[in-house]
Amino acid sequence: MKVLLIGASGIIGKGVDAKLSARHDIIRASRNSGDVTVDLKDPASIRAMFEKVGAVDAVVSTTGKVHFGDFADMDEEKYRIGIDDKLFGQVNLVLIGRDYVADNASFTLTTGILSRDPIRYGSSASMVNGAIESFVKAAAIEMKPGQRINAVSPGVILEAMEGYAPYFRGHDPVPAARAAMGYAKSVEGLQTGQVFEIF
């Protein structure tokens, strides 16, 4: 399969690349590097990416930024970071990409454990992850015939614990290679409308 991997330069993206590249043709995309660059906050950039890569059999998104902060200090601008980047970035990837991908193509989005296990300072991440998961479940029943959509919801990633450990006390970190199994299941399986929890 021809797989478009967005966020290929990130920790999860590298894990997914390693998992899938032996069996599939990977087109790597990220904000500043890769075979093609894309800014998910900019619909024109998403459209230009699809124009450049042509029809693909799978679109995998392993990216998305949110703001972590004390709820007392959160305001619309801080919540907008996650809404505009991780939520609408991935939603627009589907809305725009569905007209470019091959028949029977799949979309795999990224959420995270905070949709079901909130932490201090993580209200934006919890909100955005929950919205993406609901979008996936609802969109799946109305996708074009043959198209599929799923999400992967990993726990905190082991290789990212240096930066996230203070927020995730008591959490059992997930190696990126294990998280990548959820993406492989979505790309290579037949399920749709699912949230694959990896913890």
Side-chain angles (χ1 to χ4, degrees):
M1 282 190 283
K2 190 175 175 182
V3 179
L4 175 59
L5 174 59
I6 296 107
S9 62
I11 293 171
I12 297 177
K14 288 177 181 175
V16 173
D17 193 349
K19 184 66 66 181
L20 295 179
S21 59
R23 300 185 295 275
H24 306 289
D25 178 19
I26 309 296
I27 303 168
R28 298 163 186 87
S30 63
R31 195 167 307 205
N32 300 307
S33 63
D35 302 309
V36 60
T37 57
V38 64
D39 179 358
L40 290 189
K41 296 192 307 297
D42 180 3
S45 178
I46 296 173
R47 195 174 303 279
M49 174 186 66
F50 280 111
E51 293 278 0
K52 182 172 182 179
V53 303
V56 295
D57 302 295
V59 177
V60 176
S61 172
T62 62
T63 188
K65 181 194 236 180
V66 299
H67 178 80
F68 284 85
D70 193 315
F71 182 71
D73 299 324
M74 293 294 287
D75 55 22
E76 180 179 347
E77 183 179 357
K78 292 183 176 72
Y79 279 112
R80 278 278 170 201
I81 293 169
I83 291 169
D84 294 341
D85 193 304
K86 188 170 185 178
L87 175 55
F88 268 103
Q90 295 191 98
V91 168
N92 280 331
L93 196 60
V94 176
L95 297 182
I96 295 168
R98 62 187 172 181
D99 294 326
Y100 288 90
V101 296
D103 294 339
N104 300 319
S106 68
F107 291 87
T108 307
L109 309 184
T110 293
T111 66
I113 193 171
L114 299 187
S115 63
R116 63 189 182 278
D117 190 4
I119 61 170
R120 186 179 184 186
Y121 303 134
S123 64
S124 177
S126 292
M127 176 186 71
V128 166
N129 289 346
I132 294 167
E133 291 176 9
S134 293
F135 169 74
V136 163
K137 292 172 185 177
I141 66 174
E142 297 189 75
M143 296 287 282
K144 293 180 179 179
Q147 289 186 0
R148 299 183 300 110
I149 182 170
N150 296 299
V152 177
S153 176
V156 61
I157 300 300
L158 177 64
E159 292 86 344
M161 282 300 281
E162 182 178 346
Y164 286 105
Y167 304 107
F168 286 88
R169 299 300 185 199
H171 284 249
D172 187 12
V174 175
R178 190 160 88 234
M181 297 293 286
Y183 296 87
K185 185 174 185 178
S186 178
V187 168
E188 298 176 311
L190 293 177
Q191 295 187 57
T192 190
Q194 303 300 304
V195 177
F196 299 119
E197 297 180 356
I198 312 293
F199 50 87

